[in-house]
Amino acid sequence: MTIHLPAPDGSFRVYEPRTEPLAGTPGAPFTSRTVFSAAHVVADPFADTNPDAPAAVDWDATLAFRRHLWAHGLGVAEAMDTAQRGMGLDWAGAAELIRRSAAEARAVGGRIACGVGTDQLTGPATLAEVRAAYEEQLALVEETGAQAILMASRALAAAATGPEDYLDVYGHLLRQATEPVVLHWLGPMFDPALAGYWGSADLDTATDTFLEVIAAHPDKVDGIKVSLLEAGREIDIRRRLPQGVRCYTGDDFNYPELIAGDEQGFSHALLGIFDPLGPLAAEAVRILDTGDTAGFRALLDPTVELSRHLFQTPTRFYKTGVVFLAWLAGHQSHFTMVGGLQSARSLPHFARAYELADGLGLFPDPKLAEERMKTLLALYGAAR
């Protein structure tokens, strides 16, 4: 009934896994918050491929995981950073993912929003080429009937010379969008190529430009997703938004307090951590729907330690921990990732992620999770 888990110093600690999972059952849609989980993709472990080749996706397992999220009342944010967009999943793969997931959402009545970027561009691009790339992806998402999320663009960050270029590109896209979109500000901790986004490395100046884009087109912006891991800055931005424009927190360090909110407002959610936390997060939001903020915090606050562990520096590799937990939870039969990113975190990192997730009761079958953790330890030559 125990497992020996490795620590970074080479020592082992004895851990006693829990035997009962946290009860979590599908339920009705939420009433107080709009909540999306940015969902991961499941690689095809039998594909004869390599990290430089196009992603080989197990479509059945990938769509099954989205049905799992929808069943618990969560929306799916598709083809986002969590799905290894730009880190193993190219635009062709993302386009196929969007088409398939949008069709599945229509079939089951699930809510879906999809990432619109410029990752079909493979080298230096002009602003006109950046705008055209955005337009191509926006058209595809709108054709599927999904809501569009205008993601931050590496190509735009490289091509823009100042705030005016961002105002021009985003203004053009918002004018032609047929339905209100979500604007996504992804910080450089998630993608170093996005440093200086909105035309300035100074966050106060960048924030002013971001808000100027929204103020010019409030009818075309459903909301914003802020992924800067700074709760105070998100609250400041949230309070400065035009009436009717939502803030979707993307802060995987401070999400309980931001979703709970204060006397001046609250954030909705679009979070990568809600991939492994799906059923627990859904239960917490349903508690919040009743007005029980303390109960919501009591259930969700203990998950922050796991989230901060998964999103520790280098933050962009949090996807590895997310997929690892999906394997332990039985949502997929293997721990393989597109681009070979299962190697992006260490064995002690996995061990701590297992311990924290098990302590929260995230595994529907704790014994299966224990057996799979022991299999990984054996593979690393660390079985005890």
Side-chain angles (χ1 to χ4, degrees):
M1 298 297 294
T2 61
I3 183 171
H4 291 76
L5 298 176
D9 63 2
S11 65
F12 284 79
R13 63 187 180 280
V14 177
Y15 175 71
E16 183 175 339
R18 65 184 292 159
T19 58
E20 296 295 330
L22 186 73
T25 57
F30 311 132
T31 58
S32 66
R33 304 290 188 274
T34 300
V35 180
F36 289 94
S37 165
H40 73 280
V41 292
V42 182
D44 180 354
F46 302 110
D48 185 10
T49 187
N50 62 73
D52 294 329
V57 177
D58 181 337
W59 294 113
D60 289 341
T62 294
L63 295 177
F65 187 75
R66 281 136 182 81
R67 291 193 296 272
H68 155 74
L69 294 172
W70 284 319
H72 286 278
L74 297 159
V76 168
E78 190 56 275
M80 302 292 290
D81 183 61
T82 308
Q84 293 180 243
R85 189 81 179 263
M87 288 185 67
L89 188 70
D90 61 11
W91 167 235
E96 182 69 8
L97 178 63
I98 289 167
R99 293 188 188 96
R100 288 176 179 260
S101 291
E104 196 72 15
R106 291 194 300 272
V108 304
R111 183 165 186 164
I112 188 168
C114 299
V116 170
T118 63
D119 45 328
Q120 68 270 56
L121 300 173
T122 58
T126 65
L127 289 174
E129 290 169 333
V130 169
R131 191 172 68 182
Y134 264 130
E135 289 173 336
E136 177 189 356
Q137 296 198 16
L138 178 61
L140 184 145
V141 170
E142 291 185 336
E143 286 169 8
T144 69
Q147 184 177 18
I149 303 171
L150 294 186
M151 305 197 313
S153 163
R154 294 174 181 172
L156 179 54
T161 59
E164 63 283 351
D165 290 334
Y166 289 88
L167 293 169
D168 178 67
V169 170
Y170 277 92
H172 178 86
L173 295 170
L174 290 172
R175 283 190 295 273
Q176 67 178 248
T178 58
E179 299 291 340
V181 308
V182 176
L183 295 181
H184 185 193
W185 185 358
L186 189 69
M189 68 289 295
F190 289 93
D191 187 344
L194 299 177
Y197 212 72
W198 304 110
S200 177
D202 179 79
L203 287 180
D204 291 336
T205 302
T207 296
D208 289 343
T209 302
F210 183 48
L211 290 169
E212 186 176 347
V213 169
I214 299 163
H217 308 276
D219 58 322
K220 290 296 187 74
V221 181
D222 164 68
I224 62 166
K225 178 183 187 294
V226 183
S227 300
L228 298 176
L229 304 183
E230 289 187 20
R233 183 166 298 277
E234 177 173 323
I235 291 169
D236 174 67
I237 294 173
R238 186 174 76 197
R239 292 174 178 173
R240 296 167 64 187
L241 290 174
Q243 185 70 27
V245 177
R246 308 184 218 198
C247 179
Y248 294 93
T249 186
D251 188 333
D252 299 278
F253 283 6
N254 304 291
Y255 50 93
E257 65 181 273
L258 291 165
I259 297 170
D262 55 30
E263 67 282 354
Q264 296 187 51
F266 57 82
S267 294
H268 300 271
L270 198 166
L271 288 161
I273 192 56
F274 279 7
D275 180 302
L277 293 185
L280 189 152
E283 179 62 24
V285 175
R286 289 194 177 90
I287 291 172
L288 187 60
D289 286 345
T290 70
D292 183 1
T293 302
F296 165 80
R297 293 294 299 267
L299 189 56
L300 207 58
D301 280 1
T303 68
V304 172
E305 185 177 6
L306 171 63
S307 188
R308 287 181 176 240
H309 177 72
L310 296 182
F311 284 78
Q312 68 183 225
T313 304
T315 303
R316 65 188 181 277
F317 294 129
Y318 77 88
K319 278 112 33 198
T320 299
V322 165
V323 175
F324 170 66
L325 293 181
W327 173 57
L328 294 186
H331 293 299
Q332 54 194 78
S333 61
H334 59 86
F335 180 34
T336 305
M337 297 176 65
V338 299
L341 277 184
Q342 66 272 12
S343 65
R345 292 294 199 190
S346 68
L347 184 61
H349 180 90
F350 294 136
R352 182 59 176 157
Y354 162 74
E355 184 177 8
L356 291 170
D358 182 72
L360 292 167
L362 294 186
F363 303 129
D365 184 345
K367 189 61 179 177
L368 174 66
E370 178 188 350
E371 291 172 353
R372 289 185 169 181
M373 186 68 225
K374 287 180 175 177
T375 296
L376 186 71
L377 291 170
L379 181 65
Y380 275 75
R384 292 290 186 273

